[in-house]
Amino acid sequence: MDFDIAANLIEGKYTNKRTQGHYSRYLNTFASFVNENQLVESPFHCKGRKYSVGNWRNSTSEEARKLRHEKLLDREEVESFASAFYNATQPQDQLVTSIMALLACAPSRICEVFRSLNEIYVQRKERGKVVHSMRWRPAKGGREGLKVIPEAMIDVFWKAHDQIKEHTAEARKMALWYEQNRTQLYLPPGLEYLRENPEEIRPIKYFEEIAWKHPKTSISSWFIKEEVVMEKRGKGKLSRYCTSFAAIEKALLQLLPTYFPYTDKTQRLKFSDALIVMPLNFFMTYPSKVMIQKTSIEMVALRFTGTKEYKSVFARL
């Protein structure tokens, strides 16, 4: 028995040789496990197709140099990014382009932006000169330190910094609230009245301001989706769904991120101290007023690549 069919599927789905090699190794591992434990009558045979293109990152060969050069942005791509950064008006676009602008100020991994502290800027003096830096927390076990911001990039840094702070401020308030009031739902100014008489049953329309939903989505559908306990009162055309604030609070508190108050299981960074923290549903136009979410690389990437639902930031700007 061989894996030709699986290997052909890999080649058909992925054109990049490194990606093909990555998935083909899973086939080899699986075949070895099955054969060693004698789980099949006839052993699996991996023909070992070669997908690797070598260590192009460190190699000094001409082929590796060409591969590295192909991955660099050309002038048009660099200018399109700069244009998107300066012309973005939607909060979602401003946030993702600002994240990438920080990486342009001090090149590093995007995951390290998500590990950054809210107070990221550091000013110090070296040999009588002011040095602008970012406080950096490296991934992969690196030592924490400072990354210098080139003088030519300081205006870019401050624009990105201020836009990130603007669009994460409310979510940071939510995070701090939940750290101090784990069993109570956060309510922004103007909605505190909803907490009065929490057990009282009211028509669900009364609580509509809590929902983060598309205007065309009914409030009852949204409450069903979020597993809020409701009851139907009245008869015929006068019947309506009702619930209590206590029921809403109980359901929505289940949406707190897995490792809250920390951003991940390493427990090194709290949401309230993080540079990047955002309301739940932030990238879907109708962000939550009461709940936060963990940011992922995929969320940022989709704003640049676009989906069937919305165009990329480059296509719109």
Side-chain angles (χ1 to χ4, degrees), residues 150-163:
E151 193 66 37
M153 297 294 289
I154 194 62
D155 289 343
V156 173
F157 168 80
W158 281 119
K159 178 177 175 64
H161 174 276
D162 292 347
Q163 287 186 158

Side-chain angles (χ1 to χ4, degrees), residues 194-213:
L194 295 176
R195 206 185 302 278
E196 297 173 3
N197 303 317
E199 300 293 340
E200 184 177 345
I201 302 298
R202 305 174 188 269
I204 58 175
K205 192 77 174 176
Y206 182 79
F207 301 106
E208 190 165 18
E209 284 294 313
I210 287 180
W212 52 92
K213 66 179 187 65

Side-chain angles (χ1 to χ4, degrees), residues 74 115 117 132 143 170 207 226 247 276 303 310:
D74 60 30
R115 297 162 62 96
L117 292 167
H132 306 283
R143 303 178 78 180
E170 183 64 17
F207 301 106
E226 300 303 334
I276 307 297
R303 299 301 296 189
Y310 56 84

Side-chain angles (χ1 to χ4, degrees), residues 88-312:
T89 55
Q90 294 183 8
Q92 296 84 356
D93 293 337
Q94 289 182 342
L95 182 64
V96 297
T97 56
S98 293
I99 289 172
M100 300 307 293
L102 287 187
L103 294 175
C105 294
S108 195
R109 301 178 181 92
I110 188 171
C111 65
E112 293 171 347
V113 178
F114 299 149
R115 297 162 62 96
S116 296
L117 292 167
N118 181 36
E119 300 303 326
I120 191 174
Y121 176 71
V122 176
Q123 185 183 96
R124 54 202 171 94
K125 279 194 174 184
E126 284 187 3
R127 299 176 183 176
K129 292 184 178 180
V130 173
V131 177
H132 306 283
S133 305
M134 284 189 278
R135 187 178 285 110
W136 215 252
R137 310 179 82 192
K140 299 187 177 181
R143 303 178 78 180
E144 295 184 19
L146 300 176
K147 285 212 167 192
V148 175
I149 306 168
E151 193 66 37
M153 297 294 289
I154 194 62
D155 289 343
V156 173
F157 168 80
W158 281 119
K159 178 177 175 64
H161 174 276
D162 292 347
Q163 287 186 158
I164 289 173
K165 289 294 187 76
E166 177 185 354
H167 299 308
T168 59
E170 183 64 17
R172 199 168 290 106
K173 287 181 186 177
M174 293 185 209
L176 185 59
W177 166 271
Y178 286 123
E179 287 174 19
Q180 299 172 349
N181 306 274
R182 188 62 181 271
T183 60
Q184 291 185 296
L185 188 69
Y186 172 83
L187 293 175
L191 293 184
E192 295 96 336
Y193 69 91
L194 295 176
R195 206 185 302 278
E196 297 173 3
N197 303 317
E199 300 293 340
E200 184 177 345
I201 302 298
R202 305 174 188 269
I204 58 175
K205 192 77 174 176
Y206 182 79
F207 301 106
E208 190 165 18
E209 284 294 313
I210 287 180
W212 52 92
K213 66 179 187 65
H214 191 281
K216 292 183 179 180
T217 302
S218 70
I219 185 63
S220 59
S221 297
W222 187 86
F223 276 143
I224 291 170
K225 174 179 173 291
E226 300 303 334
E227 300 183 356
V228 176
V229 175
M230 297 182 289
E231 58 182 77
K232 206 168 188 179
R233 292 192 169 185
K235 295 182 179 180
K237 294 182 179 180
L238 297 179
S239 67
R240 52 187 177 179
Y241 282 108
C242 298
T243 190
S244 66
F245 178 80
I248 296 171
E249 185 172 59
K250 181 179 179 180
L252 299 191
L253 285 175
Q254 302 303 311
L255 300 177
L256 279 170
T258 303
Y259 299 105
F260 189 85
Y262 299 98
T263 57
D264 58 42
K265 62 183 177 183
T266 64
Q267 298 188 352
R268 296 183 61 200
L269 181 65
K270 288 185 175 182
F271 277 92
S272 60
D273 295 328
L275 176 68
I276 307 297
V277 57
M278 60 184 62
L280 184 61
N281 214 45
F282 178 79
F283 286 117
M284 300 306 290
T285 308
Y286 303 98
S288 172
K289 298 177 182 178
V290 300
M291 185 54 60
I292 61 171
Q293 70 179 20
K294 181 176 180 178
T295 313
S296 69
I297 295 173
E298 290 73 21
M299 291 178 185
V300 174
L302 286 174
R303 299 301 296 189
F304 288 109
T305 61
T307 68
K308 291 181 180 180
E309 286 73 31
Y310 56 84
K311 294 181 180 179
S312 74

Side-chain angles (χ1 to χ4, degrees), residues 58-74:
N58 300 319
S59 174
T60 58
S61 70
E62 183 64 21
E63 181 184 6
R65 187 194 67 78
K66 288 180 179 179
L67 285 169
R68 289 194 293 268
H69 182 74
E70 288 173 1
K71 290 182 176 292
L72 293 175
L73 298 178
D74 60 30

